[in-house]
Amino acid sequence: MERYPFTYDPKRPFVQQAGEWVADVFYDVLPEAGFEIRDEQIYMAFQLEKAFAEKKTIFAEAGVGTGKTLVYLLYSVCYARYTRRPAVIACADESLIEQLVKPEGDIAKLARHLGLHIDARLGKSPDQYLCLRKLDDVRLRDEEGVRWDDLAAGLPDFVYSTAPMQSFHAYGDRKGYPELTDEEWSRINWDPFQDCFTCDRRHRCGQTLSRDHYRQAADLIICSHDYYMEHVWTYEGRKREGQLPLLPEHCAVVFDEGHLLESAAMKALSYKMKHVVFEELITRLLQGEIRESLAVLIDEAIVQSEAMFAAFGRQSRSVAGSDRKEIVLDGALLTEVHRFRSLLTSIEEELVFESELYTLNEYELRIVEEHLEMMQKALHLFERSEALICWAVDGPDGLTLSIMPRTVKEVLQEEVFGAKMPIVFSSATLSVQGSFDYVADSLGIESFLSFSVPSPYDYTDQMKVLTPADSRSTADFNGKLEAAARLLRESGGRALILFNGREELRRFKKELAAGTVEVPDVPFYFEGDQEISHLISAFQREETSVLCAVSLWEGLDVPGPALSNVIVWSLPFPPHDPVFTAKRKESAAPFEEVDMPYMLLRLRQGIGRLIRSREDRGVVAILGEELAGSTPVREQVLAVLPEGVTLQALS
């Protein structure tokens, strides 16, 4: 197989030649295969050529229908072959990943029409994989044991074999269990409290084996934002532990729907703690022949951990619409944290002496030391409470404490954007009021290229945007329920309903089950009931169905009459959880600088789910009272609607 899809002249710059080939693809090759020539797509191609040539960060804002995915894929494949290192395509969520890699997706289209073999492999997030230990636990404890036994019986033979592996095939990812609800999946999937390093099943684990597979990718590794950020934050720690980094060395990164990267970065940088997990971790040291002074410190640390978590429980306050509890810091709580940190420091000092005595298993010792170091880093943030965000979540085995730094800019600047390589942010919504500063500032990007091209679609003819004429009619849940039911009857289903939180979705589902309103007799699909790509496929296949979702403001691509109606249940302002509360406290004008930009970016994405081809027609209905009258919110929403589209009254 030829290394490049064009004849390479080593006397000329490679990226320039790649750009010429990409232009030929869009002007000649793809039109011959039935694709239309899109000026916006070709303009984007020339802009990306500059970013790859200069190894810079670029904000590539291209409207729906410009074919931006094909552009960044072509450059990424060429550049990967030039550098002999894969490019990483990091998507905002699993549904976006599915759009790329499904049999009729963009990668398959390029490979087929260009006669290319593209070596693209999936690097899914750990929580997308089955955990063999958790499966064994739930089989022992669960009353529905037969069901879990059937699932275990369906695993490959090599999982429970002790013989050397002769062959391997991928298994254990979320997509393989579409019938499980999200709640059921959470009982058997990987979570942050699984200690994979010491797990005796890790060499037969689907997650571990799949990781070995994608590391060999020649062209592309497809992963999520979360996973890429996890790679960044754990890179040094995994090297210290003698582990390979999550991702191999790569030549470029594309952040698809890149405006969502900050939340992924904050999630990855957060540290989760549980008392029961700490106790299990630290008592491993008691299995060796250790000195009495260390044993006493371990006992004291366990007692103090319990006291500290009890203090966090007392200082936790529920937040409406969120499962995250706000933690009110006070002197007594900080004293408990300081006592616990002091004990951890003493244990770390004792471990230095123990390591010289060689009485502890070296591998186990290294794992414990790494965990203690991470805990110290997280708890150290309490020394300057203005530098951290923390919250708590109740669970069956006690409180889970999450701690993250208030800003991730410094780490991103050093670990991601400080690297000399092309970084592409691709989305239809990267700018706010024509400026990229909101996204750039949130990520600490100081130098970047940028461009913006509109969608080629005729939105004036293809789309109507409706909002209630009388704000009082949809000011409460029941009013919205009646309006949504009326819209569904008019469209005969064929709708996507976007909710701003799971609480809204659950209540809507409950009211439908109770028969509170009259809706058409069509299938309704609810996010969380099954694996998400399975729900999307069913929605697309059954033309009159209705899909109700919280996370599909981005990524859903369903052209045709199956999606003729997008109902925005409420304007997608950020939640009042500890993360956004902290961002608001930092701002002099929180509504204008935090809430509005977030809402407008997400609303533009939600509206963009409707028109996915030149033949599509439909309605977007925005419920709620915020758009009534001449208000600043209404003016801002009008400004982000597609050109020529106005708000019309919902009768």
Side-chain angles (χ1 to χ4, degrees):
M1 183 182 70
E2 293 289 335
R3 180 175 173 187
Y4 305 120
F6 54 86
T7 302
Y8 172 53
D9 180 0
K11 297 178 182 178
R12 297 177 58 212
F14 174 81
V15 174
Q16 181 184 350
Q17 296 178 70
E20 292 168 356
W21 174 73
V22 170
D24 289 341
V25 168
F26 289 132
Y27 277 122
D28 300 322
V29 180
L30 291 182
E32 288 180 6
F35 290 72
E36 63 177 291
I37 296 177
R38 298 172 179 173
D39 293 337
E40 299 87 357
Q41 189 179 49
I42 293 165
Y43 178 78
M44 177 178 176
F46 283 114
Q47 298 302 309
L48 256 61
E49 179 184 334
K50 184 178 182 181
F52 275 84
E54 298 180 7
K55 300 180 182 178
K56 283 193 171 183
T57 296
I58 185 169
F59 290 113
E61 183 177 61
V64 175
T66 53
K68 52 186 173 292
T69 306
L70 298 184
V71 180
Y72 72 62
L73 285 175
L74 289 173
Y75 274 104
S76 297
V77 169
C78 287
Y79 200 65
R81 296 185 178 187
Y82 175 62
T83 60
R84 297 185 184 273
R85 288 178 293 165
V88 173
I89 312 296
C91 301
D93 55 38
E94 299 300 325
S95 61
L96 278 164
I97 290 175
E98 185 65 20
Q99 296 292 341
L100 280 176
V101 302
K102 62 185 179 181
E104 68 277 17
D106 290 324
I107 293 175
K109 287 179 184 176
L110 281 181
R112 183 169 65 253
H113 293 300
L114 300 181
L116 280 176
H117 171 71
I118 299 176
D119 185 9
R121 308 190 188 189
L122 281 178
K124 289 196 170 187
S125 298
D127 61 4
Q128 293 294 307
Y129 284 94
L130 171 75
C131 173
L132 296 173
R133 273 188 171 179
K134 286 180 71 174
L135 176 60
D136 286 346
D137 289 344
V138 80
R139 289 171 66 193
L140 290 172
R141 298 194 319 266
D142 202 279
E143 294 179 1
E144 299 178 287
V146 175
R147 180 183 184 188
W148 300 115
D149 285 347
D150 289 345
L151 191 151
L155 296 176
D157 292 340
F158 61 73
V159 171
Y160 293 105
S161 171
T162 58
M165 287 182 59
Q166 301 298 318
S167 63
F168 157 73
H169 63 85
Y171 84 93
D173 76 63
R174 175 67 172 106
K175 193 177 177 182
Y177 306 96
E179 73 285 354
L180 297 182
T181 67
D182 285 355
E183 191 279 329
E184 289 170 333
W185 175 249
S186 70
R187 297 166 72 181
I188 61 169
N189 75 324
W190 180 91
D191 65 56
F193 297 108
Q194 302 307 307
D195 189 354
C196 300
F197 299 131
T198 59
C199 177
D200 59 351
R201 314 290 292 279
R202 70 181 187 276
H203 296 302
R204 308 278 172 165
C205 170
Q207 178 192 162
T208 304
L209 295 171
S210 296
R211 191 174 296 165
D212 293 338
H213 174 70
Y214 73 66
R215 282 196 182 104
Q216 308 304 316
D219 295 326
L220 304 174
I221 296 176
I222 318 295
C223 68
S224 66
H225 289 181
D226 289 351
Y227 197 53
Y228 190 83
M229 288 296 105
E230 187 75 14
H231 160 73
V232 171
W233 307 141
T234 61
Y235 183 83
E236 293 298 334
R238 290 182 66 86
K239 287 173 66 177
R240 284 196 300 270
E241 294 164 356
Q243 305 287 328
L244 288 172
L246 294 180
L247 294 169
E249 294 298 318
H250 45 278
C251 65
V253 186
V254 176
F255 292 115
D256 200 344
E257 302 300 354
H259 62 287
L260 299 174
L261 184 63
E262 183 192 17
S263 60
M266 295 179 77
K267 177 182 175 182
L269 195 54
S270 65
Y271 188 83
K272 289 181 170 61
M273 295 174 57
K274 280 184 182 178
H275 168 69
V276 293
V277 174
F278 169 72
E279 184 173 10
E280 180 185 345
L281 172 77
I282 203 70
T283 51
R284 290 180 184 176
L285 299 176
L286 297 176
Q287 297 171 9
E289 296 181 6
I290 60 174
R291 291 171 300 134
E292 183 180 355
S293 56
L294 176 56
V296 170
L297 283 171
I298 290 171
D299 287 340
E300 290 178 356
I302 292 171
V303 172
Q304 182 56 34
S305 170
E306 197 165 21
M308 181 183 73
F309 274 89
F312 275 114
R314 290 192 297 272
Q315 293 301 112
S316 299
R317 305 290 182 268
S318 297
V319 177
S322 174
D323 62 347
R324 295 176 174 180
K325 289 188 170 184
E326 180 184 10
I327 295 174
V328 181
L329 301 180
D330 67 357
L333 174 58
L334 294 176
T335 297
E336 298 290 356
V337 172
H338 181 72
R339 286 175 181 163
F340 184 62
R341 283 197 64 219
S342 297
L343 286 168
L344 293 186
T345 300
S346 298
I347 290 173
E348 288 175 317
E349 291 171 353
E350 288 282 336
L351 289 178
V352 173
F353 293 106
E354 290 291 343
S355 65
E356 295 173 354
L357 297 174
Y358 301 101
T359 57
L360 294 172
N361 178 280
E362 183 180 356
Y363 185 71
E364 288 273 3
L365 178 60
R366 192 164 67 243
I367 297 302
V368 172
E369 287 177 330
E370 186 68 29
H371 277 283
L372 293 181
E373 182 181 345
M374 292 296 292
M375 292 175 70
Q376 286 279 36
K377 285 182 179 178
L379 294 172
H380 177 68
L381 292 171
F382 284 95
E383 299 294 323
R384 294 189 306 114
S385 56
E386 73 280 0
L388 94 159
I389 303 169
C390 60
W391 66 89
V393 177
D394 286 324
D397 54 355
L399 206 67
T400 297
L401 176 65
S402 293
I403 307 166
M404 68 165 62
R406 190 175 291 268
T407 177
V408 297
K409 290 182 182 181
E410 293 80 4
V411 184
L412 286 170
Q413 282 175 334
E414 181 179 349
E415 303 293 340
V416 180
F417 303 113
K420 187 69 174 175
M421 69 175 174
I423 298 177
V424 179
F425 284 80
S426 174
S427 177
T429 56
L430 286 169
S431 65
V432 179
Q433 297 178 333
S435 171
F436 295 94
D437 290 346
Y438 174 74
V439 175
D441 290 347
S442 68
L443 297 171
I445 302 173
E446 297 175 349
S447 175
F448 57 87
L449 305 173
S450 66
F451 70 89
S452 182
V453 292
S455 169
Y457 298 147
D458 182 2
Y459 285 101
T460 306
D461 179 57
Q462 294 179 254
M463 172 190 289
K464 288 183 180 179
V465 179
L466 308 178
T467 193
D470 182 359
S471 63
R472 292 170 297 181
S473 66
T474 56
D476 60 14
F477 190 92
N478 290 330
K480 291 179 180 180
L481 187 63
E482 291 288 349
R486 187 166 65 253
L487 287 162
L488 293 174
R489 291 195 297 268
E490 291 173 359
S491 64
R494 301 178 176 86
L496 167 69
I497 307 180
L498 291 171
F499 296 90
N500 201 26
R502 296 192 181 276
E503 190 174 309
E504 289 179 342
L505 185 147
R506 284 192 290 265
R507 185 175 175 188
F508 178 80
K509 181 181 179 181
K510 181 179 178 181
E511 296 293 341
L512 252 60
T516 306
V517 291
E518 179 189 349
V519 294
D521 184 18
V522 299
F524 278 77
Y525 297 108
F526 298 91
E527 182 178 352
D529 282 358
Q530 293 180 325
E531 189 269 332
I532 190 66
S533 67
H534 182 77
L535 289 175
I536 292 171
S537 295
F539 171 62
Q540 190 166 13
R541 185 172 58 251
E542 300 184 49
E543 185 179 307
T544 60
S545 61
V546 178
L547 178 58
C548 305
V550 174
S551 68
L552 294 178
W553 296 79
E554 299 90 4
L556 183 68
D557 185 16
V558 180
L563 209 176
S564 303
N565 187 1
V566 173
I567 300 174
V568 177
W569 190 263
S570 56
L571 288 179
F573 285 105
H576 289 279
D577 68 6
V579 173
F580 280 97
T581 297
K583 291 171 75 74
R584 293 181 184 103
K585 288 179 180 178
E586 284 185 338
S587 173
F591 185 74
E592 292 78 8
E593 295 177 359
V594 178
D595 291 1
M596 281 296 291
Y598 176 95
M599 183 276 287
L600 292 172
L601 283 175
R602 205 155 202 227
L603 179 64
R604 287 172 63 193
Q605 283 286 345
I607 291 172
R609 297 313 97 208
L610 181 66
I611 305 300
R612 309 301 298 180
S613 73
R614 293 190 187 276
E615 290 72 38
D616 286 353
R617 300 288 186 277
V619 171
V620 175
I622 306 173
L623 308 182
E625 71 278 11
E626 298 96 338
L627 301 183
S630 180
T631 64
V633 173
R634 183 185 179 92
E635 292 172 6
Q636 294 270 29
V637 169
L638 282 169
V640 301
L641 294 181
E643 187 175 353
V645 176
T646 59
L647 283 174
Q648 301 180 37
L650 173 62
S651 58

